[in-house]
Amino acid sequence: QFRYVRRSNELYAVIIYSLEQFQEPLLMLFMQTGKALEGLANDYQQLCPRFEALRLMCRIFFSLNYQDLPEFFEDHIKEWMDEFAKY
């Protein structure tokens, strides 16, 4: 949603609101989903929905970071990049 819009005060108000709601839960869910994959190496039925969830979380991450790098993501860049490095 935030990728195709020009920068404005209204846009940043929506981004800030979205970040307040999603930034921490998104990171926790991303890490938990990645951890859950470790035990499912040969279970296609379990892997597919989890990889789809990871793909959607990556899209949300990208959208929230598209206009500017928020402080929370900057402060937790190691956690994000450690998870991204797995894939």
Side-chain angles (χ1 to χ4, degrees):
Q1 170 182 349
F2 307 124
R3 291 182 259 178
Y4 309 108
V5 182
R6 292 186 75 136
R7 291 180 180 210
S8 68
N9 290 338
E10 294 82 18
L11 173 65
Y12 278 103
V14 173
I15 291 173
I16 289 169
Y17 176 79
S18 299
L19 286 167
E20 289 170 350
Q21 305 304 312
F22 288 109
Q23 61 191 5
E24 193 169 349
L26 181 63
L27 176 58
M28 294 298 112
L29 184 59
F30 191 66
M31 293 173 67
Q32 289 171 352
T33 305
K35 186 89 169 150
L37 291 174
E38 294 172 7
L40 302 171
N42 297 318
D43 191 343
Y44 179 79
Q45 297 290 354
Q46 295 291 321
L47 286 173
C48 283
R50 284 173 175 80
F51 273 117
E52 177 63 16
L54 284 173
R55 185 185 73 80
L56 293 172
M57 286 182 261
C58 288
R59 292 185 70 184
I60 293 169
F61 173 87
F62 182 69
S63 289
L64 290 172
N65 286 279
Y66 188 81
Q67 295 287 338
D68 193 14
L69 182 62
E71 185 177 338
F72 178 86
F73 290 108
E74 191 174 340
D75 292 345
H76 294 88
I77 198 75
K78 180 176 179 1
E79 291 98 321
W80 281 104
M81 294 305 118
D82 286 348
E83 284 299 315
F84 284 135
K86 292 179 182 179
Y87 313 108

